[in-house]
Amino acid sequence: MNPFSRLFCRGYQICFRLALPLLPYRQPELLTAVTDIPSLLQREHIGRVLLITDAPLRALGLTQELEKALSQAGIACAVYDGVVPNPTVDNVEQCRALYLESGAQAMIAFGGGSPMDCAKAAGARIARPQKAVQAMGGLLKVLRKTPLLIAVPTTAGTGSETTLAAVITDPATHYKYPINDFALIPDAAVLDYHVTLGLPKQITATTGMDALTHAVEAYIGRSTTKLTRAMAEEAVTLIAKYLLRAYRDGQDAEARTQMLQAAYDAGIAFTRSYVGYVHGVAHSLGGQYGVPHGLANAVILPYFLEEYGPSCHKALARLARKAGIAEETSADEPAARAFIAWVWEMNRAMEIPSCTPEIRAADIPALAAHAAKESNPLYPVPKLMDARELETMYYKLMPKEDTP
Ligand SMILES: NC(=O)c1ccc[n+]([C@@H]2O[C@H](COP(=O)([O-])OP(=O)(O)OC[C@H]3O[C@@H](n4cnc5c(N)ncnc54)[C@H](O)[C@@H]3O)[C@@H](O)[C@H]2O)c1
Ligand SMILES: [Fe+2]
């Protein structure tokens, strides 16, 4: 990156860091059981809701307990279950239309990041009827009160239940972008491990690695605070202890509970301290090829940690020592290397591939441009890279025989 762009990026990031204590962050009210939702709604005098989920979750019967509890409490519930992974602008519009048509007064998002993000973006559209979804991409473009939102994460995961982001894909342009606004932070989050017990092995693995990526990118970035460092350290400690357990035995209630906590903690960390190029690149692959978000992050994370080199060693080493991944007495460089080796090993142990076969060389300039547009100047990454430099990372991610 040229020195002028570098100066601009770092200046922009410093402004946001200084403004951080003044920004209106809040945390959702926490519930531990989906059956607690009706009393929260009654307290708010809400008699009609829209449940936003996806068809596979509904077919599995996962929403039944909630739907029954709402009906017993006399709360009318319309259901939108059309959300697809990497939710689209059309999903958002359909969800908004059903909310208005059904006379709902609040939203319950039930699912992984996809239903949660769809609900958030639909809420933004309801608050801003004149503004297209595409026009809300970026930072602080909503700035109005959105409908009350209760988020029930069923993956552990995105942390969307506590973040200010909603990530939406425009299928016409293959562009996947975050909408970031304080109005999108859910009002309540329900961390109920029962709804994660049936999460398939591969999704347990990849969504867990997404949570890890949130914690790591927030921690090695330049805009951390005492709170976000503590949250990221706790998240990584929990992931190191419980992700493989949840992967090997999906019915392990303790592992599932702790992974929900880890994803939530990582969400608190990154919504204040940002993510980095791993996410910028992952979103470009999700938009272009539909690569699941967690899988993309899991594959990409170790490549960027290696690329950052000494610029992230100190922070990564501290994280490695705190999470028990490196010895307390280990020096920075070996501790950081132990962390990166651990990430490779986690991927290997959970059969996550080491490359992204979908990448086509001809697409790389556009993919890198999207990643750079999302990441610069906002993300306070340890080492700045422009679109040209990011292109080299896509080549590294290709299967070795496809690399020109
Ligand atoms: N808003 C944020 O802060 C934020 C952060 C990270 C990622 N994201 C976004 O979230 C999306 C990814 O979310 P995700 O990784 O949670 O996956 P997802 O919501 O796309 O779900 C993936 C699949 O898992 C299934 N599934 C979910 N929970 C299940 C369960 N308990 N049992 C069985 N199947 C289950 C779903 O039906 C779906 O088929 C991406 O679009 C990503 O960009 C958002
Ligand atoms: Fe993520």
Side-chain angles (χ1 to χ4, degrees):
M1 182 179 284
N2 73 56
F4 296 109
S5 304
R6 191 183 302 272
L7 206 63
F8 170 68
C9 288
R10 290 306 188 205
Y12 185 99
Q13 292 157 14
I14 288 170
C15 290
F16 270 88
R17 198 174 69 217
L18 295 175
L20 193 60
L22 308 172
L23 297 177
Y25 280 104
R26 55 189 166 83
Q27 280 192 39
E29 178 177 344
L30 281 181
L31 306 179
T32 51
V34 290
T35 46
D36 293 340
I37 293 176
S39 49
L40 187 152
L41 292 169
Q42 283 166 336
R43 190 190 76 200
E44 300 295 325
H45 309 291
I46 286 165
R48 212 167 259 281
V49 294
L50 177 65
L51 174 62
I52 298 122
T53 185
D54 61 43
L57 286 178
R58 196 124 187 268
L60 284 171
L62 273 183
T63 58
Q64 267 172 17
E65 192 183 19
L66 172 61
E67 289 182 63
K68 194 166 147 218
L70 290 169
S71 147
Q72 280 170 351
I75 296 168
C77 173
V79 182
Y80 175 66
D81 65 1
V83 183
V84 295
N86 296 320
T88 62
V89 176
D90 291 345
N91 286 153
V92 175
E93 293 305 336
Q94 288 159 4
C95 180
R96 168 184 173 251
L98 190 54
Y99 181 89
L100 297 173
E101 208 178 287
S102 65
Q105 301 154 294
M107 295 177 165
I108 303 174
F110 188 104
S114 299
M116 290 192 278
D117 286 4
C118 176
K120 287 172 163 185
R125 283 283 290 124
I126 291 159
R128 284 265 181 198
Q130 310 300 339
K131 216 169 188 175
V133 180
Q134 290 88 336
M136 288 191 273
L139 200 58
L140 301 180
K141 307 266 177 65
V142 184
L143 298 171
R144 293 240 176 105
K145 190 160 168 37
T146 51
L148 184 127
L149 172 63
I150 301 173
V152 187
T154 64
T155 61
T158 65
S160 183
E161 65 275 12
T162 188
T163 72
L164 52 66
V167 194
I168 302 299
T169 298
D170 187 341
T173 57
H174 297 295
Y175 185 34
K176 184 174 180 183
Y177 51 89
I179 302 171
N180 298 296
D181 197 289
F182 297 100
L184 303 191
I185 300 174
D187 298 278
V190 186
L191 303 185
D192 183 342
Y193 75 87
H194 293 97
V195 298
T196 67
L197 288 176
L199 194 61
K201 254 179 141 60
Q202 235 16 60
I203 306 181
T204 300
T206 52
T207 54
M209 292 305 280
D210 182 25
L212 177 71
T213 307
H214 296 152
V216 172
E217 291 209 287
Y219 200 81
I220 63 176
R222 291 188 172 194
S223 292
T224 63
T225 65
K226 200 172 167 198
L227 170 72
T228 64
R229 286 192 295 275
M231 288 294 113
E233 285 164 3
E234 178 168 291
V236 177
T237 306
L238 292 175
I239 291 165
K241 199 160 167 199
Y242 293 106
L243 177 53
L244 281 179
R245 256 176 73 173
Y247 172 79
R248 289 182 180 136
D249 175 10
Q251 296 296 313
D252 184 332
E254 188 191 2
R256 291 295 196 189
T257 304
Q258 299 298 351
M259 280 306 300
L260 270 178
Q261 188 64 47
Y264 183 81
D265 292 343
I268 292 182
F270 92 82
T271 203
R272 289 162 178 75
S273 292
Y274 309 91
V275 280
Y277 291 133
V278 179
H279 269 77
V281 172
H283 290 154
S284 75
L285 298 177
Q288 182 71 27
Y289 308 115
V291 181
H293 178 72
L295 172 63
N297 276 326
V299 174
I300 300 165
L301 178 63
Y303 286 96
F304 268 94
L305 294 180
E306 284 179 354
E307 176 67 24
Y308 289 150
S311 69
C312 76
H313 279 173
K314 199 170 160 44
L316 210 51
R318 195 175 342 114
L319 192 54
R321 289 189 288 259
K322 293 270 183 193
I325 292 160
E327 296 290 328
E328 288 280 344
T329 52
S330 183
D332 283 354
E333 193 183 333
R337 290 199 185 286
F339 193 94
I340 299 170
W342 172 74
V343 176
W344 284 115
E345 178 51 29
M346 287 292 283
N347 279 350
R348 198 202 53 74
M350 296 188 293
E351 295 184 42
I352 291 173
S354 58
C355 62
T356 305
E358 287 86 349
I359 299 174
R360 297 280 160 265
D363 297 334
I364 288 178
L367 292 168
H370 278 161
K373 184 174 172 208
E374 173 183 329
S375 311
N376 298 330
L378 186 61
Y379 298 157
V381 286
K383 176 177 163 184
L384 289 167
M385 297 168 81
D386 60 20
R388 292 287 291 277
E389 290 161 312
L390 287 172
E391 284 184 20
T392 63
M393 300 304 291
Y394 288 87
Y395 287 105
K396 290 186 185 176
L397 290 165
M398 290 170 86
K400 296 304 161 257
E401 65 273 18
D402 291 359
T403 314

